[in-house]
């Protein structure tokens, strides 16, 4: 009986976690799971990253994808989740432009190269903080800023689960990176640019937080300001 109870708890924990294997661009999904999205280390365990300073906070990938997907500037994007995204917390989107002479198919995204293009903030429902797309099987939409320069990029998404975030390293980061090529863009200068890891600290108020003690307007998502073009 004790073994069965432990197995049930472990199974329930995995069911409560998720990966994001497909990017959807203007309603059109990747051709298959992990087609242009890099397969993450938690593809089987579904466990999130708990250390904000870990190298895994960048893409959590164990291999590059075989393809690069074209994304028009101004496109509406989101990701499909393998399970219901039932944990409270923000969804954030980042981009990093691939340097000249390199390819999105193998660039590692190191350095101060990442800029944020979307974050979400909570509302109060039934005396609990709730975020957009919570309890859905897709993440909330984001828009590629029209002023984003053309070129190859890594697109990074994260959903930060905050249900256990009242203790150090209790926040769980579920994330993915997709190899993309932006077309029809502009001449904007994206920023601020940050490094991952480096942009977050484990005690940032948006990471170490007790959701039962704050109001929606007082929650501050971690990372830099959003660049909207």
């Amino acid at each position: 009986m004790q073994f069965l109870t432990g197995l049930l708890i472990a199974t329930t924990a995995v069911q409560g976690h998720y990966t994001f294997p497909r990017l959807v661009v203007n309603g059109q999904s990747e051709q298959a799971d992990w087609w242009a999205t890099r397969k993450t280390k938690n593809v089987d365990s579904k466990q999130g990253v708990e250390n904000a300073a870990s190298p895994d906070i960048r893409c959590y990938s164990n291999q590059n994808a075989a393809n690069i997907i074209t994304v028009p500037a101004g496109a509406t994007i989101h990701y499909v989740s393998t399970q219901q995204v039932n944990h409270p917390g923000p969804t954030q989107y980042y981009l990093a432009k691939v340097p000249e002479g390199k390819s999105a198919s193998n660039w590692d995204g190191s350095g101060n190269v990442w800029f944020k293009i979307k974050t979400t903030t909570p509302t109060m429902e039934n005396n609990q903080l709730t975020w957009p797309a919570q309890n859905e099987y897709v993440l909330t939409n984001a828009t590629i800023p029209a002023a984003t320069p053309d070129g190859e990029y890594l697109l990074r998404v994260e959903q930060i689960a905050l249900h256990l975030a009242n203790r150090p390293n209790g926040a769980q980061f579920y994330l993915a990176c997709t190899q993309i090529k932006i077309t029809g863009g502009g001449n904007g200068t994206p920023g601020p640019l940050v490094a991952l890891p480096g942009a977050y600290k484990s005690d940032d108020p948006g990471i170490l937080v007790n959701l039962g003690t704050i109001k929606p307007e007082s929650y501050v998502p971690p990372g830099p300001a959003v660049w909207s073009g």
Side-chain angles (χ1 to χ4, degrees), residues 35-78:
W35 188 82
T37 298
R38 295 179 176 180
K39 185 176 291 186
T40 48
K41 294 179 181 179
N42 63 339
V43 64
D44 294 318
S45 72
K46 306 296 189 292
Q47 183 63 41
V49 178
E50 296 181 348
N51 181 354
S54 167
D56 283 335
I57 204 70
R58 185 183 300 156
C59 286
Y60 204 12
S61 56
N62 58 11
Q63 66 184 63
N64 297 331
N67 302 284
I68 297 173
I69 188 171
T70 298
V71 180
T76 299
I77 60 171
H78 70 264

Side-chain angles (χ1 to χ4, degrees), residues 18 21 25 32 35 74 80 84 96 100 104 116-117 124 154 211 224:
Y18 24 84
V25 180
W35 188 82
V80 175
Q84 187 181 47
E100 290 291 332
K116 187 192 295 184
I117 61 169
M124 186 70 76
L154 290 181
L211 297 185

Side-chain angles (χ1 to χ4, degrees), residues 91-94 115-120 132 140-143 226-227:
T91 297
Q92 305 200 111
Y93 288 82
Y94 286 80
F115 59 98
K116 187 192 295 184
I117 61 169
K118 171 77 174 186
T119 191
T120 58
T140 189
N141 287 344
T143 300
V226 169
W227 183 76

Side-chain angles (χ1 to χ4, degrees), residues 168-184:
N169 294 324
Q172 300 168 1
F173 296 80
Y174 297 92
L175 54 104
C177 286
T178 304
Q179 301 163 181
I180 71 171
K181 180 179 181 180
I182 292 179
T183 60

Side-chain angles (χ1 to χ4, degrees), residues 21-22 29-37 39 80 82:
R22 289 198 194 201
S29 173
E30 285 183 60
Q31 295 183 21
D33 288 357
W34 313 116
W35 188 82
T37 298
K39 185 176 291 186
V80 175
T82 52

